Amino acid sequence: MTASTPPPAPRRALTRADYDRFQPLVRRLAMRAARRVPSHIKAQDLMGYGWLGLVEAFSRAEATMADEEFEAYASYRIRGAMLDYLRSLDPMARALRSRSRHVSRAIADLTKSLGRQPEEEEIAKALGMELDAYRETLSDIGKAGMARLELLDLDKVDLVSEAEAPDEEVSRQGMAGLVAGAIDKLPERLRQLLALYYQEECTLREIGLVLGVTESRVSQLHTEAIHRLRAALRRE
């Protein structure tokens, strides 16, 4: 007799009070993004996608998640939904964006099923690719600028933005904590790469000399590291 599968953890329910609570944040992020995109892209459209991101956050987050952690996670999802919308407007980026999502999804699924970080050969196999093809995909994604550690793209301060509200600052700090925790779980080589690139501000060539690989290989490893972080933040 096989053991029964445990029921899924309960999820948070989106209420009217939550709508009122997050409305100012969604609006601020949409207005801030609208000031940095072409005028035909309306803040109202960005807000709509921001709400979709919030709904997604509620559908994925477990009810037991601490409020501060959830606020950070919800902010991440709101920003991500807006960014996805902006990226979808570029036809040339859609195919690469889809491939990027597939990589993150494969890593998330493998991590869950294996109970550990997957090897790159396992990721390639899950994607139905040869290892060289998988690495080439990472190169293409990296060259398109779709692999960055700055996960809070829409929260950068611009010349005309007002001071950050306290709830945004808390969300930023919480998000930084989530990212730091995800980095700690990366393979040592990728942790070293991220530290050299973002903390020591080394060039890809300099990192290659430290790791003993080519500059192009460093770019591939960097892209893979970012996708591993995104997979860890999926909260499936």
Side-chain angles (χ1 to χ4, degrees):
M1 180 177 178
T2 59
S4 59
T5 303
R11 305 293 173 175
R12 286 176 174 253
L14 181 60
T15 66
R16 176 68 192 188
D18 293 315
Y19 174 86
D20 294 336
R21 174 186 173 192
F22 283 96
Q23 184 179 31
L25 176 61
V26 173
R27 184 178 185 280
R28 278 196 297 272
L29 292 176
M31 295 299 293
R32 187 171 297 172
R35 288 196 289 264
R36 296 196 295 276
V37 297
S39 59
H40 69 274
I41 300 175
K42 304 302 181 184
Q44 193 66 30
D45 293 333
L46 290 165
M47 286 182 64
Y49 282 91
W51 283 116
L52 291 177
L54 180 64
V55 171
E56 183 180 32
F58 270 88
S59 69
R60 295 189 179 198
E62 295 182 2
T64 55
M65 184 185 293
D67 287 344
E68 183 175 324
E69 183 181 5
F70 176 74
E71 288 177 10
Y73 177 62
S75 296
Y76 168 67
R77 281 290 170 187
I78 292 168
R79 295 182 185 95
M82 292 181 186
L83 282 171
D84 285 347
Y85 165 61
L86 293 174
R87 288 165 178 156
S88 72
L89 300 179
D90 181 358
M92 296 183 65
R94 290 175 188 166
L96 273 180
R97 184 65 180 167
S98 176
R99 290 158 71 184
S100 177
R101 285 180 176 275
H102 287 155
V103 172
S104 294
R105 168 76 69 173
I107 293 172
D109 290 345
L110 285 170
T111 301
K112 184 176 181 179
S113 63
L114 297 173
R116 59 170 172 80
Q117 286 282 323
E119 301 293 336
E120 65 172 348
E121 292 85 358
E122 294 171 322
I123 300 171
K125 183 178 180 180
L127 292 168
M129 296 180 177
E130 296 294 332
L131 182 58
D132 287 345
Y134 167 63
R135 290 179 173 178
E136 186 62 30
T137 294
L138 294 178
S139 294
D140 292 341
I141 294 171
K143 291 174 183 176
M146 295 182 181
R148 295 171 295 172
L149 185 56
E150 294 84 351
L151 299 177
L152 307 182
D153 288 335
L154 295 184
D155 211 23
K156 294 178 181 176
V157 177
D158 55 51
L159 295 177
V160 295
S161 66
E162 67 280 4
E164 285 188 354
D167 59 339
E168 286 190 68
E169 180 59 28
V170 169
S171 295
R172 285 169 61 86
Q173 293 174 357
M175 191 67 238
L178 292 177
V179 173
I183 290 175
D184 287 342
K185 297 177 182 178
L186 290 177
E188 181 178 357
R189 189 187 201 190
L190 297 184
R191 293 201 308 270
Q192 182 182 15
L193 186 156
L194 294 180
L196 289 170
Y197 189 74
Y198 291 100
Q199 296 177 11
E200 302 298 329
E201 298 184 349
C202 294
T203 64
L204 296 183
R205 180 177 179 277
E206 291 169 338
I207 296 173
L209 293 175
V210 173
L211 299 182
V213 297
T214 64
E215 184 174 341
S216 61
R217 181 62 180 141
V218 173
S219 178
Q220 292 171 352
L221 290 171
H222 172 262
T223 300
E224 182 176 301
I226 298 306
H227 282 76
R228 287 178 184 268
L229 293 180
R230 289 176 179 163
L233 295 170
R234 289 186 67 89
R235 296 283 181 181
E236 296 286 11

